[in-house]
Amino acid sequence: MQPELHVEPNIYMKAFPHFDRPKVIGYIGLENLKFARRICNDRVHYDLNLHLDKAIHQPADFDVKLTELLKFLLENERRLNYPIEKSLDRAKFFCYRGLLTCVACTPYENREPWKIVAILHKGNIYLCARDTDDKINRKLNMTDRDKQFTSWGYKFEQYLLSDEPYSEPNPDVPVDETEEFSLVFTTNLNSHTIVYGAEMDGLRCDQGPVSKPPTEQGPDEIVNYFNTKQFIELKTNRQIDHPRQETSFRRFKSKKWWCQSFLVGIDTIVCGYRNDDGIVEELRICDVKDLAKKAQRFWNPNVCFNFLDTFLVYVKRCLARKVKYKYGEKALNNLQTLPLVSTLFEWQPGKPVQVSEGYSHEDDPILMPWFLENYDASFNKRLNVRRFGVALAEQGDQKHYNGDLTEAHTDDW
């Protein structure tokens, strides 16, 4: 039986772990990029119900899995040029920002359980959140009011974001909630290399002239463009009328807001404060650093990221145990030869993280057949090139071989 991982905050109350500033390595849905010009404190009147009856919604049973990230990895494999790793110590994690936020907030969570699948394939670890039974039931049985709250957030973005850096927003059209623009980041958390996708709200263009991405110059220049720009996060919140609401915000919501923004290097959030009828009456700028300072009675960033680091260590250790048990200890240093290995991690409030046997990749595939087929073919081709190069090197003909590809690391904060 795999050991449990305890989540009590006092265990993780130590210095903040090493965390490189996130670096953009790619993008998804470039045609949906939006721009933010109005970033200020102001009194406004935004009706979030405008054209709500005509909005295009995601299906209630929509399962995001890792589909878009896997497409990105296939399309950009040659450009990213990740080295072939043999051991779990150097295995990269691939996931979405939402999963990292969920895990980091766990020591302070007392409501929402979670399930996370870890898949080891060709020396990489893919993490994917799965809905708990309770969450599936809530999604399928959302009331009209629940759906309204969700749609209000999308409509608020439409009041502040435009399609061009020099044009005004146009909220007088229905919202298409399926349109998404995401960036793909890489960072290092202590010894872990993480690659993750994150949906981004809007690129800031309030501090000076901003051009559109140089699409005619190719992916590398577009990535360079995004690495020189700042993004803004947009949120809505019920107008805070008394101290109890302020305490609730600082205890619960601010933690998630901070984690989401910190993980992608966002410094500023614009919050639209609304009434119960869906009318935003005030815009207020929020400094991401201030969120942690004002909520230090309730949660600590050090605890969040130390737990996230420990969880990733735990995932590697559990996968190592499984590999050793099924394929022997020598397999731990030759991961490329192994078939896919999967493990399910489950957590309930008030309990440790536990490993569950209740998952089968055949019944609930995360790495789709189209990904496995194309990735494995490319992987085997690269592996053969590497072996050929090693053979040449052993013969002293090093001039024909450039060696392993090196990995670019992000700068420190």
Side-chain angles (χ1 to χ4, degrees), residues 145-338:
R145 187 64 167 170
D146 293 332
K147 296 175 183 177
Q148 187 180 48
F149 284 147
T150 301
S151 295
W152 280 352
Y154 288 103
K155 192 64 185 183
F156 176 64
E157 294 176 7
Q158 204 179 37
Y159 276 97
L160 291 179
L161 302 177
S162 55
D163 294 331
E164 308 286 345
Y166 43 79
S167 65
E168 292 296 328
N170 179 21
D172 196 26
V173 293
V175 175
D176 185 348
E177 298 174 8
T178 67
E179 292 183 349
E180 294 183 359
F181 167 74
S182 299
L183 290 177
V184 182
F185 295 87
T186 187
T187 190
N188 292 297
L189 173 60
N190 278 347
S191 62
H192 311 294
T193 299
I194 315 171
V195 177
Y196 51 104
E199 186 179 355
M200 308 298 285
D201 289 341
L203 191 154
R204 294 190 68 163
C205 51
D206 60 311
Q207 300 170 322
V210 171
S211 61
K212 297 187 72 174
T215 53
E216 71 286 350
Q217 298 181 31
D220 287 334
E221 286 305 312
I222 296 174
V223 167
N224 290 337
Y225 165 91
F226 284 125
N227 273 310
T228 65
K229 300 295 184 290
Q230 295 183 44
F231 278 78
I232 195 78
E233 185 79 11
L234 302 179
K235 298 290 188 183
T236 59
N237 195 67
R238 171 67 170 80
Q239 189 68 269
I240 295 175
D241 298 319
H242 48 75
R244 189 173 68 254
Q245 291 174 325
E246 180 68 30
T247 298
S248 178
F249 171 81
R250 294 186 183 187
R251 181 187 294 274
F252 300 111
K253 192 171 286 189
S254 67
K255 174 175 71 269
K256 185 177 180 180
W257 287 15
W258 178 85
C259 279
Q260 287 177 329
S261 297
F262 184 78
L263 280 165
V264 295
I266 285 178
D267 300 321
T268 306
I269 297 171
V270 174
C271 183
Y273 286 90
R274 59 163 181 81
N275 61 26
D276 291 331
D277 297 322
I279 305 299
V280 173
E281 299 171 317
E282 182 182 8
L283 299 180
R284 197 181 304 168
I285 293 176
C286 172
D287 190 312
V288 172
K289 293 179 180 178
D290 288 342
L291 287 174
K293 292 178 182 178
K294 293 178 179 179
Q296 57 186 344
R297 287 174 47 209
F298 308 110
W299 58 270
N300 187 303
N302 297 26
V303 170
C304 294
F305 270 67
N306 280 319
F307 178 76
L308 177 59
D309 171 56
T310 304
F311 175 75
L312 298 181
V313 171
Y314 180 66
V315 170
K316 288 181 178 179
R317 288 178 178 172
C318 291
L319 287 171
R321 283 173 179 263
K322 192 164 187 177
V323 168
K324 184 177 178 181
Y325 174 77
K326 295 184 69 173
Y327 305 106
E329 190 163 359
K330 289 184 179 179
L332 291 173
N333 291 311
N334 199 15
L335 299 180
Q336 303 98 325
T337 64
L338 298 181

Side-chain angles (χ1 to χ4, degrees), residues 44 72 176 270 334 346 360 405 408:
V44 296
F72 167 82
D176 185 348
V270 174
N334 199 15
E346 293 190 89
S360 166
L405 299 166

Side-chain angles (χ1 to χ4, degrees), residues 13 15 37 73 90 103 182 217 227 275 401 413:
M13 188 67 76
R37 301 177 63 191
L73 293 174
R90 294 181 60 82
V103 173
S182 299
Q217 298 181 31
N227 273 310
N275 61 26
Y401 177 57
W413 284 86

